[in-house]
Amino acid sequence: MKRSLVLFPIFALGVLIGAATLQVQAQGGAPNPEREAARAKQLALEESTPQLKITEEVLPLVVPGHTIGGN
């Protein structure tokens, strides 16, 4: 019982440290000149690309004189 009371906090601390390490890696780590240049190039490309104009039209799916599920 005493051993589990000691091992569980150590295990929990290890999980927290591992999660923090994964979060730092997922965010890209330290700034990098190549990464910043690629990001600037991507942003310039997105700004120069024409944007699609999308309109949404909802069509009524009702048959006159009928109800859905009616016999």
Side-chain angles (χ1 to χ4, degrees):
M1 179 71 176
K2 289 181 182 181
R3 184 182 301 171
S4 64
L5 291 175
V6 172
L7 292 178
F8 180 73
I10 293 172
F11 174 74
L13 182 62
V15 168
L16 289 174
I17 291 172
T21 303
L22 288 175
Q23 183 180 9
V24 169
Q25 290 175 354
Q27 292 177 353
N32 172 328
E34 291 177 4
R35 189 177 305 128
E36 294 298 325
R39 180 168 169 77
K41 182 178 176 183
Q42 179 66 33
L43 289 175
L45 178 64
E46 289 177 9
E47 288 178 5
S48 66
T49 303
Q51 300 295 312
L52 296 176
K53 303 295 181 193
I54 299 174
T55 58
E56 181 179 350
E57 184 177 331
V58 179
L59 301 174
L61 300 177
V62 179
V63 178
H66 288 85
T67 59
I68 295 177
N71 289 332

